[in-house]
Amino acid sequence: MKALRYIIIWMTLFLTYSQGYRILGIFAFQAKSHFVMFEALMKNLANKGHQIDAITSFHLKKPFVNITELVVITPQMKLVNNISYEQMKTLLTVLPVKAIANMGGIEVCEYLGRPEIQKLLRNPPKNPPYDVILIEILGAHCLAIFGHLFNVPVIGISSCTLYPWHNHIIGNPENLAILPNNLLNFNNPMNFWQRTYNFLHTVFNKIYFDHLTKYQDEQIRKYVGPNLPSVRQLEKNISMILVNSYFTLNGIRPLTQAHIEVGGLHIQDDGSELSPELQKCLDENKDGFVYFTFGSMIKIESFPRKILDIFYKSFERISPVNILMKIPNPKELPPGLPKNVHTLPWIPQLKVLQHPNAKAFITHGGLMGTQEAISCGVPMIGVPIFGDQFSNVANYVKKNIAIKLDYENLSQDDMDAALNEILNNSTYRKAARKVAQKFIDRPLKAIDTANYWIEYIVKYGWDALRSPAMDLNWWENDLLDVYTFLLLIIVILIYITIRLIQIFLSTILSNSNINVSPMKKMS
């Protein structure tokens, strides 16, 4: 009987592998929040029977059937729970596009030179071969070279809304009159000056990103081989992008079919549980609690004492409401932490936000965490620090589910007022619940949408969703050649009209002079 059970299990696994696809997922950027989305996607694909080979910067929390960790990269610079306030300020002095192009681009492309990745490039598996490649769409688009070498489609995964330099990859339309790019905190409707700035800012960042990442061409030639496509050519061969956005949250906009909205894909039960101590603590907080974290990178304990003192005093004043603070090194906090503040180095965030006693979320505005809060109907206090966090928080403020604070100019009065407003004004919670309902209400779950379109590309080819705009030059796509032609026709018609009028008037004047001359002679 036992032997029969093993045979059944073996046959089930065999059928699973034979019916599923073989997928290579390359997610090498050292940002834990990004990997949360990628891990959820890989696990779900594995559950569907697909075989996943992964190149990542993070180990899975535990082994998972159908997922093989080919390479787990240890980066030179550790970002998880390791960015101090001063480092953050230094980072912010650099343009976001430069930080992404370097840290999320050129440094990631250097991994192509690693021996284990070189081995995979030279000797890809053949039994079975890969059916599709998944890569992160951020700054290291050099990784699309795997698709070119293995002759399989490449699908991009973006953990945030598309940056200005991403839309052209799939021919996604940009209407800069109504769509501020995600590095700006503008809201619609934009006035004339905002639209002008949005246009110039977007064009500059696209040109600057292309300039900074052109070096990836040399990296491809150095580590992979000569006579290979440039990174710009590789981008054009990306079949589609799964984007962590959804129109009910990010607004209605024109999209090509290759832009697949899967906002909140990571929001699913991963089997994690609250510890008995934390469960008891949250259950006993009858007056509610506020959850506080600045994500997986920033060290709150490294903030200046002036800012931490503001937090301390404001937190103490809202007692008996408690504060649950996720902080890597609680011992590094200065003395004076109020008694109603409870610190932990790691917290199962979604489980905490789902707790009925969760009253508010203090956040830096990262997309993954704020989407979790939104799905749970929890209002927020946003303190944006970097990148798209400013546009995220501005969007939430517009929807009346968040209050924005400026960490550089934070005052005690501002912090007190924000906490009192978010906790005592029921408008925010009502709005948050309404936004949550719209965010969740979909014809298909985000993860199932992602699965469907990945399988669609494998079945019907890399160009199944390719936009015709990809075959046009930018001036053709924007109809500048048509506008120029029509303007030229108008100018010519105006010129001809003016000349005809001049000739007509000249003729009339000439005839008048002829008629006048005989009269003068008679006189």
Side-chain angles (χ1 to χ4, degrees), residues 186-244:
F186 295 161
N187 280 318
N188 278 319
M190 293 182 287
N191 61 37
F192 171 78
W193 298 114
Q194 288 175 325
R195 284 184 283 116
T196 301
Y197 187 81
N198 182 41
F199 170 76
L200 295 174
H201 188 271
T202 300
V203 170
F204 168 78
N205 277 285
K206 288 196 288 189
I207 294 172
Y208 194 35
F209 178 83
D210 284 357
H211 167 72
L212 292 171
T213 55
K214 191 173 178 58
Y215 177 67
Q216 293 180 21
D217 294 349
E218 295 183 28
Q219 292 175 296
I220 291 170
R221 288 193 291 267
K222 177 180 178 182
Y223 296 120
V224 186
N227 305 319
L228 290 171
S230 68
V231 68
R232 300 286 88 87
Q233 291 172 308
L234 291 173
E235 287 175 341
K236 291 182 178 180
N237 293 329
I238 291 174
S239 298
M240 70 177 185
I241 304 177
L242 301 175
V243 184
N244 190 19

Side-chain angles (χ1 to χ4, degrees), residues 335-346:
L337 193 69
K339 293 181 180 179
N340 65 326
V341 178
H342 306 280
T343 62
L344 287 170
W346 180 84

